[in-house]
Amino acid sequence: MGHPAAVWDYKAATEITKDWNGIDQVILRNPRGASARVSLHGGQVTSWRNEHGEELLFTSSKAIFKPPKAMRGGIPICFPQCGNGGSLELHGFARNKIWTIDDNPPPLHSNDYHGKSFVDLLLKPSEEDLKCWPHSFEFRLRVSLAADGDLSLISRIRNVNGKPFSFSFAYHTYFSVSDISEVRIEGLETLDYLDNLCQKERFTEQGNAITFESEVDRVYLSAPTAIAILDHEKKRTYVIRKEGLPDIVVWNPWEKKSKSMGDFGDGEYKQMVCVDGAAIVRPIALKPGEEWTGRVQLKVVPSSFCSDHLGL
């Protein structure tokens, strides 16, 4: 007999294993059979499956799973830099570091653990990190899987430095889709965006939804708290809800760029789209002792359920 949800033991639903490189990973499960896998390499969610066992995140067949290379897929954490706009490596160093399991994290609101299986991870800067980015911080990440299969990531970044610092951030989420040509994104209509394919020139979104016919690499400004990705062929919709993250990044490399990336299959752009909750345009500034929190909640619903019910 399985445990009824009311007495679901989240600790029993959390398993620590090792991947094929010997790096610890945490498996989260819920009573209905959904699961998520979190690697301590990068604090990266590498798998999110629904109760039918279907993988909801994209991972390239050519992904490299060995440090110091970040894995192409899942949900890499971009911190303290997004893109290549600063002095650090692409997307910062957090996604390339080995995190630790935080057994005694500061408390979160009770709703952030009730009825969920979850893991708390911790990243602190190494001496090497401090040489290239001289700021002391504590980065706490909670990944949780709810009874209904929703996946949540909560990041808390504290300045334990003697001076202020600022950073940019993104949950660089690779969603698995049936065919990018059949995908549309709702919730970003009429917003301004910076186009990374046009030297970050600012434009205004003209369509009633975002669709894909070529490479897209944009940062949408002042985005609403809920965004929907509709996959017509699979008749399902991903709903992204975010807090503390004003921007949304939308990215698909399309054919030409795919062929130039060594850890990405030539035709795999058809099966993925990145839609990231982010804080890029105005970096987050923290005074000594201050803490910032940014969270996303990912949900999957039938496409027929979409806009009328999601408050988009």
Side-chain angles (χ1 to χ4, degrees):
M1 294 288 290
H3 293 289
V7 294
W8 177 249
D9 182 354
Y10 79 88
K11 289 184 178 178
T14 304
E15 178 187 0
I16 301 175
T17 64
K18 291 188 182 295
D19 66 18
W20 49 88
N21 290 313
I23 298 171
D24 284 346
Q25 57 182 356
V26 181
I27 313 293
L28 306 176
R29 297 185 177 88
N30 78 355
R32 299 180 183 179
S35 67
R37 186 169 67 240
V38 189
S39 175
L40 268 60
H41 174 205
Q44 184 166 342
V45 177
T46 58
S47 173
W48 173 35
R49 293 181 181 270
N50 63 18
E51 59 194 67
H52 305 296
E54 297 171 318
E55 180 58 64
L56 303 171
L57 299 177
F58 166 87
T59 299
S60 173
S61 62
K62 294 187 176 181
I64 299 166
F65 292 86
K66 196 168 185 178
K69 181 71 175 177
M71 191 197 79
R72 176 75 67 183
I75 310 178
I77 302 290
C78 301
F79 169 86
Q81 174 184 305
C82 295
N84 56 6
S87 60
L88 301 175
E89 61 196 273
L90 180 69
H91 295 323
F93 50 71
R95 64 187 188 140
N96 296 326
K97 301 300 178 181
I98 299 297
W99 295 50
T100 58
I101 294 176
D102 191 357
D103 291 321
N104 190 28
L108 276 167
H109 190 279
S110 60
N111 287 345
D112 287 320
Y113 65 84
H114 183 70
K116 300 177 180 179
S117 58
F118 63 88
V119 64
D120 289 289
L121 301 182
L122 175 64
L123 180 68
K124 295 182 179 182
S126 66
E127 289 186 14
E128 177 187 344
D129 298 332
L130 290 170
K131 288 177 182 176
C132 64
W133 199 67
H135 306 292
S136 294
F137 64 88
E138 292 177 345
F139 188 150
R140 287 182 162 85
L141 171 67
R142 173 169 291 188
V143 181
S144 61
L145 185 68
D148 59 5
D150 290 2
L151 182 69
S152 297
L153 291 86
I154 304 172
S155 291
R156 292 182 288 172
I157 297 171
R158 177 174 290 276
N159 182 350
V160 295
N161 211 34
K163 57 184 179 180
F165 65 73
S166 60
F167 61 89
S168 53
F169 180 94
Y171 294 110
H172 190 33
T173 310
Y174 288 75
F175 291 94
S176 175
V177 298
S178 55
D179 184 340
I180 188 62
S181 299
E182 297 294 319
V183 166
R184 56 190 280 136
I185 298 174
E186 296 185 354
L188 301 174
E189 306 80 46
T190 74
L191 295 187
D192 284 0
Y193 64 88
L194 305 182
D195 194 333
N196 289 324
L197 303 179
C198 298
Q199 290 76 49
K200 299 184 180 179
E201 189 176 345
R202 187 164 178 154
F203 298 92
T204 300
E205 180 59 52
Q206 301 296 324
N208 59 9
I210 298 170
T211 56
F212 297 85
E213 298 175 348
S214 59
E215 182 180 355
V216 173
D217 189 353
R218 302 172 183 171
V219 181
Y220 285 83
L221 315 180
S222 303
T225 57
I227 309 297
I229 306 169
L230 285 72
D231 187 338
H232 295 294
E233 191 169 313
K234 290 192 175 179
K235 295 184 172 58
R236 71 183 178 200
T237 294
Y238 296 104
V239 181
I240 305 163
R241 296 190 184 277
K242 62 184 180 65
E243 295 178 28
L245 299 161
D247 306 322
I248 286 283
V249 177
V250 178
W251 179 67
N252 182 283
W254 217 253
E255 186 173 9
K256 183 178 178 181
K257 187 165 187 177
S258 295
K259 291 179 177 179
S260 71
M261 295 189 291
D263 61 348
F264 196 93
D266 289 356
E268 288 184 330
Y269 72 91
K270 297 176 183 178
Q271 277 78 56
M272 57 72 64
V273 65
C274 284
V275 182
D276 312 349
I280 296 175
V281 178
R282 292 183 180 177
I284 305 296
L286 291 181
K287 296 175 183 176
E290 283 187 334
E291 183 176 274
W292 168 83
T293 301
R295 68 180 73 199
V296 292
Q297 178 195 48
L298 309 180
K299 176 188 284 288
V300 183
V301 296
S303 284
S304 58
F305 184 78
C306 187
S307 300
D308 295 339
H309 302 273
L310 297 173
L312 297 178

